[in-house]
Amino acid sequence: VGETLGEAVDGGVRMASCVTEKVTELLVLERKGFQKTFKLFFQEQDKRKMAFLQTFPFFSRQLWDEEKLLKTAHFCRERVYRAGETIIEQGAPADGLYFIMKGMVALSREVIRVDDNGEKESICNIILTKLCSGSHFGEITVLDQENVNPTFPSKITCETKVKVLRLDKSQLDIDVFLQEGVLNALKEASYSCPDDNFILQSHIDVMRNLKRTKKVMDDLRGNLKDRGRKDTMDMEKD
């Protein structure tokens, strides 16, 4: 709902078929009518999206040809998510890059242990970091070229209402992204997710510290109670 499709903007030949997966209602605007009404609107929208993308170091004018960047901006789709909504599930196929325009998201990781019988057990679920407007995620779509089917290593959940630009994997100009300058800038600007062993050890350390803190607090409460009893007994003697 709310999406557009068709080649009226580009004026080109259809490059793919569109098949409905359920009953769908469409408003159809012929090319002639489009040229008179919405063409300028979409062009201005693409320019605004391009200006936003250029705030990221890996989309700078020094690294990108303006025509290619404008085309990339055209392929970016705006998405709005509610607070508490999951944008990406951990382990989902890495299918695109996301650029946060407004709001905040949390990256979390569930560490799972598989026993000898193949049974899975969730050991811990930890929030790794939070990203706000001006940040991005999904860079594994570009960075993991060795894996034919890369997946997202973390779950992405909205802390607030979130607005993003999403660039689908199928629309990536991968040759430009893999240029040394663009690739290095993307790596430097990306959050580096720790592996499961590091997360698990951090979880163990936190739990140990919590147990130590609980013991200290329990001892302190015990000392306060003993002191209170002693003070009461001294008052009774007096």
Side-chain angles (χ1 to χ4, degrees):
V1 179
E3 292 292 339
T4 60
L5 56 94
E7 290 69 37
V9 176
D10 302 319
V13 179
R14 290 189 187 278
M15 302 300 293
S17 299
C18 298
V19 181
T20 57
E21 296 188 349
K22 59 182 180 180
V23 177
T24 305
E25 292 185 9
L26 298 173
L27 289 177
V28 180
L29 181 65
E30 295 182 356
R31 186 189 301 274
K32 186 176 180 180
F34 175 84
Q35 296 288 343
K36 290 182 178 180
T37 54
F38 289 102
K39 184 176 182 180
L40 182 60
F41 168 79
F42 280 111
Q43 287 176 340
E44 291 299 319
Q45 188 180 62
D46 288 346
K47 288 180 181 178
R48 288 195 298 271
K49 290 190 288 188
M50 184 177 74
F52 174 70
L53 291 179
Q54 286 178 323
T55 63
F56 295 88
F58 44 87
F59 279 126
S60 68
R61 291 180 181 273
Q62 290 76 21
L63 298 174
W64 282 74
D65 173 80
E66 185 171 347
E67 183 179 347
K68 287 188 176 182
L69 184 55
L70 186 60
K71 186 176 181 180
T72 298
H74 170 68
F75 287 132
C76 287
R77 296 286 185 166
E78 289 187 7
R79 294 282 191 276
V80 177
Y81 299 90
R82 301 182 304 275
E85 189 173 357
T86 297
I87 300 177
I88 297 169
E89 291 287 356
Q90 179 178 328
D95 58 357
L97 275 166
Y98 294 75
F99 309 96
I100 305 174
M101 304 179 77
K102 293 181 181 179
M104 178 181 292
V105 301
L107 278 68
S108 61
R109 177 82 62 81
E110 182 181 20
V111 179
I112 298 175
R113 182 178 68 86
V114 181
D115 62 22
D116 295 336
N117 298 320
E119 296 292 329
K120 296 181 179 180
E121 177 189 3
S122 177
I123 299 177
C124 64
N125 196 326
I126 295 178
I127 293 179
L128 302 175
T129 190
K130 295 184 180 182
L131 304 175
C132 59
S133 55
S135 302
H136 68 280
F137 54 91
E139 61 280 347
I140 193 170
T141 306
V142 175
L143 298 179
D144 191 357
Q145 291 299 309
E146 296 181 1
N147 194 337
V148 178
N149 298 305
T151 58
F152 288 108
S154 306
K155 181 179 180 179
I156 315 292
T157 307
C158 298
E159 292 282 294
T160 64
K161 183 179 179 181
V162 173
K163 182 178 181 181
V164 302
L165 279 183
R166 180 181 180 276
L167 179 59
D168 191 86
K169 183 178 183 179
S170 63
Q171 305 289 2
L172 282 171
D173 192 335
I174 197 65
D175 291 334
V176 177
F177 270 102
L178 292 181
Q179 290 178 7
E180 185 177 358
V182 178
L183 193 62
N184 289 339
L186 179 59
K187 289 178 180 178
E188 290 175 6
S190 300
Y191 171 74
S192 180
C193 290
D195 61 25
D196 284 0
N197 290 331
F198 180 86
I199 295 172
L200 184 56
Q201 186 59 55
S202 298
H203 175 70
I204 292 171
D205 292 342
V206 169
M207 296 305 294
R208 283 175 177 167
N209 289 333
L210 286 174
K211 287 181 179 178
R212 292 192 191 102
T213 302
K214 184 177 183 301
K215 185 177 185 305
V216 170
M217 293 301 293
D218 288 343
D219 291 344
L220 180 60
R221 291 191 189 97
N223 291 336
L224 289 173
K225 287 181 180 178
D226 291 341
R227 183 173 178 180
R229 292 193 194 98
K230 184 177 182 301
D231 290 344
T232 301
M233 292 174 63
D234 289 343
M235 290 175 64
E236 290 176 352
K237 289 179 181 180
D238 295 339

